[in-house]
Structure formats: C-alpha cells, structure tokens
Amino acid sequence: MNVEQLAEQLKRDSLFMRDVVRWETLPQKSAVYGEFPLGLDTRIQPLLKQRGIHRLYSHQAEAIETVLRGEDVVIVTPTASGKTLCYNLPVLSAITARPDTRALYLFPTKALAADQAHELYELIEGMGADIKTYTYDGDTPVAARRAIRQAGHIVVTNPDMLHSGILPHHTKWVKLFENLQYIVIDEIHAYRGVFGSNLANVLRRLIRLCAFYRSKPRFILCSATIANPGELASLLTGRPVTVIEKNGAPSGERHFVFINPQVINRQLGIRVGVLKTAERIASALLQNNIQTITFCKSRVQLEVLTRHLKDITRDVLGNAERVRGYRGGYLPSERRDIERGLRDGSVKAVVSTNALELGVDIGALDACVLCGYPGTIAALWQQSGRAGRRQSASIIFYIASSAALDQYIVSHPDYFFSQSPEHALINPDNLYIMLSHLKCAAFELPFEAGESFGINNSADEMINYLCNNDILRRVENRFYWSAEDFPASEISLRSASAENFVIIDITDAVRPLVIGEMDRYAVPMLLHQNAIYMHEGRQFQVERLDFDACKAYVRHVNVDYYTDADLNVSLSLLDISEETTNARGIRRHSGEVKVTALVKMFKKMKLDTGENLGFGHITLPETDMHTTAMWWTLPLDAAQPYTNDALQGGMLGIANLLRITAPLFLMCSPRDIAVVYQVKGSFTELPTIFIYDNYPGGIGLADKAFSLGELLLEQSLSIVSDCACQNGCPSCAGPVGEIGLEGKAMAGVILCQMIER
Amino acid sequence: MKTRLEDKLMAMAQAKQKTAPCSKGVLEQERAISVSHFPDVHDNIACALSSMGNNDFTAIGPSARILFMDTETTGLSTGAGTVAFLVGIGYINNGMLTVRQYFMRDYNDEPELLNRLKCILPHFDILVTFNGATYDLPLLKTRFLMNRMDPEPFMMPHADLLHMARRVFKLRLRNCPLSRLEEWVLGVHRTQDIPGMLVPERYFSYLKSGDLSLLDDVFIHNQQDIVALYGLMSTLIQMYEHPQTVTHHQDIYSIGLALEKKKQYERARACFSLALNGDCAYQSLNRLAHNYRKTGEYCKAAEVFKRMTQHHNSGVEPYIELAKLYEHRFKDDDKALEYALQAARILNGDGLGDALPVQAAQNALQCRCDRLLRRVKSGEEQQHGVHGKHQGA
C-alpha cells in the first residue's frame, strides 16, 4: 500500500479513528520557478545543469538576487526546500570570480558543520574548481590548522570556536579577515535566549575586527519558520536584514493526523502511553513498506521502539537491518551509513531523537511519527518536514502524551497550522553578556574613545567601569587590555553565568567523567542532592553537590520519575520600566527585579503522568539574581470575595497554566522562565503573578510576555475551560492534590475577571 | 664564575635605580657584559647551528651575525591582547655581549618599540631565541599586525635553542626549561630571580604606580635570560665540536643521534664511540653498528653487532641484524641460519609472552629461519661434503 491507500484504510478504521482528534490534509503545491540570476559567475549554471538542476525555485532566485545586490538576507523556508543553494551559489561564484575571497559558515553544532562541509566538497568537486573548504573546530588536528588559516576559502565552524578559537587569535587569520565577503549562518532559530544573545555579541566582535582589516562582509542567514525571522536576524547581526519567505519548492499532498490516546484514568488525566500507540502506527507503516521516521523524546524510548520494530521485521534475509536507531552518541561513520541508507531507500524505518531534526541530509521520507511535542512549534514543523516528497503524498502522525504541552497542541491543532506564533527572543544588550564580550573585544583590539559596541550602544560607560576595575587602561584616547587573563575562556556561549558547575559522572568509580556544565543559578533547582538529572536522554542521580567547589557528582540510574524542586522565591523591585491598567483594574508591569531564591525541598514526579511520588529535603544557600520580569496585580476589591484558600488555589492554577502557555508563545524551554504567584506580593502588597527570565540580566522573555498583552491569559483560560478533567489535572491548572478541589474552577473565575474582553 | 656574574648583576641593578625615569617614550638601555666564562665560539656559527637543529643556515656563510632575543609579556596566551612590554636583544661586540633592552613605558609606546626592533633586525643574519618559534615570534608578529606593520622582518633565519637543547639533554634532564639548563648545564644559579608567572602582575603594578623600581628584577631577569641564551648556544656548539670534553655519556649519545639525523655519520660515530663506556653503552654500540651498515662498511658493522651479543643485556636484535648481514651481504646462509636460530631461541625463551610486537618479530624470524633452512638444505643436496667445512667455520 502507498501512503494514499493507507490513509484511506485508516480513515475507515473506527478503532483507529476513535483517538484521532483532527485529520488535516494540506493540498499539493506545484513549484514556482524564478529567473537564473545574471550576476552569478558563468561557470555556475552549467554545473547545476550537470547535477540535474535546470531552474531555480523562486525563493532561491530571489535570495541570490538580493545577496548579489549587496543586501543582508535571511531565508525562511521549510525543511528540504533547497536553501543551501541560496548561500552556496553566491559564495562559490564570488570565490570563482576572485580567488582571494573568503567566506565563513556558522552552524550550531559540529555534526551539522561536518555535514554541510561534506555537501560543499561534492559541489566543488563537480565544479572542478580549486576552492578549499575546511571545518575548523575542536576536532581539527593541530597540524591542519595552519593550512586552514592560510588557505581555506570557506571556513566552516561553530559559534563557540569563532568566539574562543578564532577571534582572540585574529592576527593568525589575516587572510580570512582581510577578504571576508560572506558570513553564512544557518539554522538561526536555534540561536535564541542566552545562546543567541551571546552569538549577537560574538558577531559584534567579528564585525569590529573586519572593520580593522577593512573588509565589509555580508550576511546570508537561514531560519526555520518562526514569527520574527527578520527581527531575530537584525538583532543578531545589528543590521537591517531583507526577509525572503515565499517558498517556491513543490510539495505533494500532506496528511496531518493528530492523535490523543484514550484516557485510562480520568481522575488523574492519565492516557494510554505514547510509545504503545507509536509502536502500532510505525509497525503498520513498516509492513506496508512506507519509509518512516519516528521521533522519540528520550534515548530509552528510542531503544525500546527500535528493538520492537526490528523484532517484527527480523527474518533470515536480514531484513531487521531495514530498521535503524539514530541518535547523538553513535559513531559518525555509523550515522553516515544510516543517512546513506535513508537516501538510497535501503533503510525503511529510522527511530531518532532530535539529532535528525536539524539540517542533516537524509532526503525526504513518506511518513513521520512524532512521539509528543518537541518543545517548539518550529521544531515540530522541522521534524514533520522530514516527511514530504516533492511529488507524492506523505503522512504525519502527532501522538500526544499526558504532558501539559502535548495536550495543549493536540487540543489546539490550529495553533500549529496557523501562521507560526513563536518568537525567537534574544537580548544582545543583556548587561552581563555584553560586558563579558566587551572584555573579549578589548582584548582583541583596543577601544577608541567614543567607539560603540552594537547599534547605538556607546561603549563608554562599560569601558569606564572596566578601567576603574583595572582591566582596561586608558592612554590618551585609547583603551588597552591590561590584565593577564584570556577573557574568552571565561564565557560559555550556551549558558548565562561565568561561574559554571561541573557535572561529574562517577558511575565508573575508577574513571570519573565530566559530562556537562550548568549555570550557577540553575544548580539549586536541578542539581541538588538526589535530583534526577537528564543528560542526552540518560538519567543520572545527584549523589553529592559540592557547592563551594562548584561540582556535582552524579551516578547513572534508571528510574521512572523525575524531580522537581520547590523554589521559595522572594522578589524585590529594582525598577519599573512600563505599566498599564486595563478596564478591569488589572495592572500589568514590566521592569527589573532582584530574585532571592531558596530551595528547601523537592518532589518526585512520575514520568509521563506527572504523579507525585514523594518529597525530599534540600539544604543549600540562598542565591540572588537580577533579572527582568513582568507581573499582574489584582486590585484588592477583586480578590475580596474569595477565601484565602480559594485565592491561593486559583492563583497557583493560573501560575501552572502560564507555565504551559508562556513557553509556547515565547519559544523557550519551560526552564528559561519562572512563574511565581504571591497572594500578597513582596513589594506590590496585592495578589500578584510574576513571570521572570530565569537568567541574570534577562534575555527578553519577560519583556515579550508583557508586550503580548492579554494573550497568555486568554490562552490559559482556553486551556482550563476546554480541559475535560473534573477538578484539575497536570494538563491544565494542575492536579487536585496540588491546587485543591476548588483550584481549577477558581483559576477560571479569576482569569475571566482579569481579561478585559 | 657564578659569583662574578651575580656581583655584576647586583651592581647593575643598583646602578639602574639611580637613573631618573623619564615619563614618556620607549626606554632603551644598554649594557656590555663579559661572557668570557662561557666557551669561546669559533667563527662559523651558522654551520655549527645547522648541525644542531632542523634548519640549515650554511648558506649564510662563515661570519654570520647573531642576534639573541627574549621578551617579557603581559600574559601567557599568544592572543591579540597580550603585549611584549620588554624586548631584550643581545649581540657580540668587541668580545663582549651587548644587551639592549627596549621597554614600553605605556601602551602607546608600542609602535615606537616595534619600529626600533624593525630597524635593528636587518643588521643580523640569524635570530636566536629560547622557545621563540612557538612563543616570542608569533607574539611579536601579532604585535606588528596589530600596529598595521608588516611582520616581514621576522621572516629571517631563526634558531630556537629550546629544540636544540632538548635534543641533547632530554635523556638526562627530561624537560628543559631555561632555568634548569642554566643551572645544570651552565652552572649558573640565580638567587633572586623573579618567577616568570609574576612578571605580568609587576608590569600592571608599575603602570598603576609609575614606580619603575617595581620592574628592577624583571629587567635583570630578562638580561640574565639573554646572557643564558648566549651561554647555552656557545656551550652547545662546544659540545658538538668537542664531544670528548662532555662529561655525561647520555649527552654525548644524544649528540650522536642528532648528528646521525643530519647525516653526519663520521661525527656521529665519534660520539657513539665516546659513549661506549657509560650508561648508554649498549645503545651506542647499536647506533654505531647501524651507522656502519648505512655507510656500507658491513664488516665493521658485523664486528660491532658481535660485540653487542657479548653485552650482558643484549637482546635479540644484534642476532637478527647479523643474520641479515650474513644472508644478504656476505652471502653466507649457514652463518645466517646460525644467528637466526640463536635469535629464535632467545625470543622464545625470554618470557616476553604473547605481546603483539613479539609475535610479529617471531613470525618474521620464523620466515627467515624457514627460508634459510630451505636454502641451506638445497645447497647441501647440491654439493655433498661441503657440509662439515661450513660447520667448522
């Protein structure tokens, strides 16, 4: 059976259809082509013809035209729409025309960089041109580095390497900096929050050095579908960027099937497991020889599902090999092998973690099974984009678990289909982040008086601060780095604070292994004694936390619960930047706060269902953090009619709902923000609900939440009123045990009271 | 020797305190220092340096002008933010070592300092440093680029004494920081030396206070380093030219290895012969034998390999080498087989177990034995009666 026939059969299967909450069919779309841009080197077009590319899609042609006009550009297109040509063609053309030309490619991960370099090699080989492309990262042998610095036309690297390996040593890269014409940054939607704020500052440093070497590079950026690609692109680059988002690539008919497995415990809102449902669907696809990718959220899920699928196909002909697992941690050669198998069709089913979500080239498949919500709508589109042939039909199954976000998506499919509402947020002017990079910049090149750092950011104030701290020295009108340190080594681009905790795996007592790092601010919540820490899908239990030495010792475990620490937070006001009152007398504020956090206990929660399995105590010192926040206050008379308990339960319910909706609309991980309610606010004296950025200095999340107006409240209300549970469940206001019998109802009542319309 | 140098340095430190610091511009000071306590350097230094390292300076000719250089910096990394605030150079003038130090009173003196360096470099033929290849030179090149100057002057021939010293002393001293070489090789003990890691901090303190005396020991340290550069170079040359005067056999053996690498077999052989009475006697014999083999003097090679077999810690190698020589060079299969069988006996009986290299050697040896055995047998079949004669030989 092909995809169409299978779809018809499923539609007639009443047992299957019982769980289907929405079946959406997107019609097929034919290709839109554009003129071949005249400005490209004449050697390029014959090469494309040789590779079977006779015409360019409209978005490719438009992107290339824009680049050739000298504009900075961001291309927003779905998976497999041929976006790499949008940057490879102008770059290769420029190098062919003037062999001194250099280009820098940035990818968020090493694996992706290696992949793209590989694709480039093939293209260049086809051209028969002498264009040298190298990946430059931590794995590059020292012996090869000199050649790369001197002779690499295209240097493919990641932001971390640019930050600590290239910029501080720019004098060794004179050729690159003097001749840098294009900076290509792919997957820019991955650069949000702290990572993006850091990258924006790394790019400020890069541009500053280019100015020193008198080169004026242009940016070519690519992004998955998000609400604000243009804004993100110009925040990252500090320039206006032209957005190209009309996709000209064709696609076949696509079926989206939203599945919500049956409830088996109505009280607790527990449903049939995702894995069981996924297993059934993936087996059916496999038996019909439909090439399928299944995305799992954990390594354990992946291994279980892979084993099951292998079991049902195992025979003497070795057909079990048609089923493969794919995740980080597999050897590169093994991964290449699987990717090849997917492209040539010898692998029929692959079970993957999000390792295959980003641009790794596996061609287009027929079907995609998604075990739960991957965290953002952009990722959901990217994962489902793995299925989608240009000519024939494809089918995508989204299976919801009992988790709150999963349930939100499955009961609001329109949220997925309508124009992407997610904003990728960054704050390049976060004082902590900017100051760290200003130090790096001063190390790389002395500052001149009056010089700016970023758009409209005079650096004077920060420079004075660094002078007063004897890190810079002013001589006449220039500021020189005057310290022994190597400032780039003090920043990790992927986390907020300089003081990181090291996570050490002591499962093998003889050979302890450092497996990760964590921000100081997140440590009390996530690495307290007995916490379950997840790393690359594996579970670890914290055996000991040495707070003074900044070390956490963990041991590998296999348990069916996760831990959730209870944070006692008090907030004090530093500054109010904006406030507004609606017709109901509800005030909404944004500003800066000091958060004093104390973690005293944690809960053990069952995986999947979120059931509470018990408590534990934590003894740790208080931590202080300055960050940005937004908060709502209820006027006293609005709260008057309710008992303290009712108010408490209702506000907790609203806080729980905001924890679901805020990450959705702010495109962040639930850990990036904190939602706190106080029946009598620390400084407001009124019932207050706070949302603040869980990073020192803030990364723009609370500001955005403020500017969303009442959207978060409206969405929260719709969840709580649409949820079928009686008195609250983990998918809406929270379980009864937590919010009380009246909690769910009260949350609804108070929300109605807060919303203007 | 030690006290004389120290006195001089102390006297100099006091003299410097009296010089009134001027407030602006590069500070330049010069001292002429006697280096007569170090070995005399004959005039073809370029040639001597060529046999000590990977670089070939012979094209420069017999009267090469040598410039010693050492820098003091504001940090350990070679990133763009690290500055060489003090650059010391040294050269021989009228039998004395002239040490000249260029010092940045502040950051804006850097272009001037680099300019003076740029002017002085072309007057010399070879730059001599200690670890300059990985540290001082990349750093100075960076400084040139940061000041929009062409780092071309540093493209001159360069001899890094760290690499040369490492070749000679690594067996005896393992790692070779300059201070250690100074003490163990030159016999100079610094008493009040400032540890290198404190140098940047001193400079920052000076910048804040303007008190130049904070840097007194940094200046002395830098000067001592340059004197030590001269001392080390002349001592190394002396050791290469006159290995018979070298005390430690390990050093002589190492020099032999270095010369062998440069294909100077005669000189290498002389070193190995000198080292035959010390700790590396067996290795020296081994190299000596291989040396003869390489130059085609097979009889002498065989002789030395035979001497090796009498050595108390003789391994299997000389037997194998002898088997090869007799098989391929002397065309004496019987003798070759005899040595091969002896080698096999040792290899099987030495309890080394099944380690892979041993197995590989065993396999190779087995092949050799089989081949020789076949040939000896077929030889016997062809000419009866010769058998006994061979056995007696």
Side-chain angles (χ1 to χ4, degrees), chain B residues 337-375:
Chain B
L337 179 61
E338 193 181 308
Y339 281 116
L341 289 173
Q342 223 160 337
R345 255 197 310 279
I346 296 174
L347 207 54
N348 296 333
D350 70 356
L352 282 176
D354 313 322
L356 273 179
V358 177
Q359 263 183 13
Q362 267 169 343
N363 293 341
L365 195 56
Q366 195 59 54
C367 288
R368 181 177 301 282
C369 287
D370 291 349
R371 184 177 62 232
L372 286 167
L373 214 57
R374 254 195 331 272
R375 285 225 298 261

Side-chain angles (χ1 to χ4, degrees), chain A residues 699-750:
Chain A
I699 46 173
L701 300 170
D703 288 345
K704 186 72 198 178
F706 178 84
S707 73
L708 289 176
E710 305 202 324
L711 180 71
L712 295 180
L713 298 179
E714 285 160 10
Q715 291 298 323
S716 301
L717 180 59
S718 101
I719 294 179
V720 77
S721 32
D722 293 352
C723 188
C725 71
Q726 279 174 330
N727 298 315
C729 69
S731 307
C732 64
V736 185
E738 193 183 327
I739 57 172
L741 266 177
E742 284 179 283
K744 181 180 176 184
M746 277 305 299
V749 170
I750 300 173

Side-chain angles (χ1 to χ4, degrees), chain A residues 409-440:
Chain A
I409 299 297
V410 80
S411 48
H412 300 78
D414 285 327
Y415 175 84
F416 174 70
F417 290 112
S418 63
Q419 176 61 37
S420 165
E422 287 173 330
H423 295 260
L425 300 172
I426 62 169
N427 178 12
D429 294 340
N430 173 309
L431 195 59
Y432 297 83
I433 292 176
M434 186 161 54
L435 190 66
S436 306
H437 287 279
L438 191 89
K439 281 159 96 178
C440 298

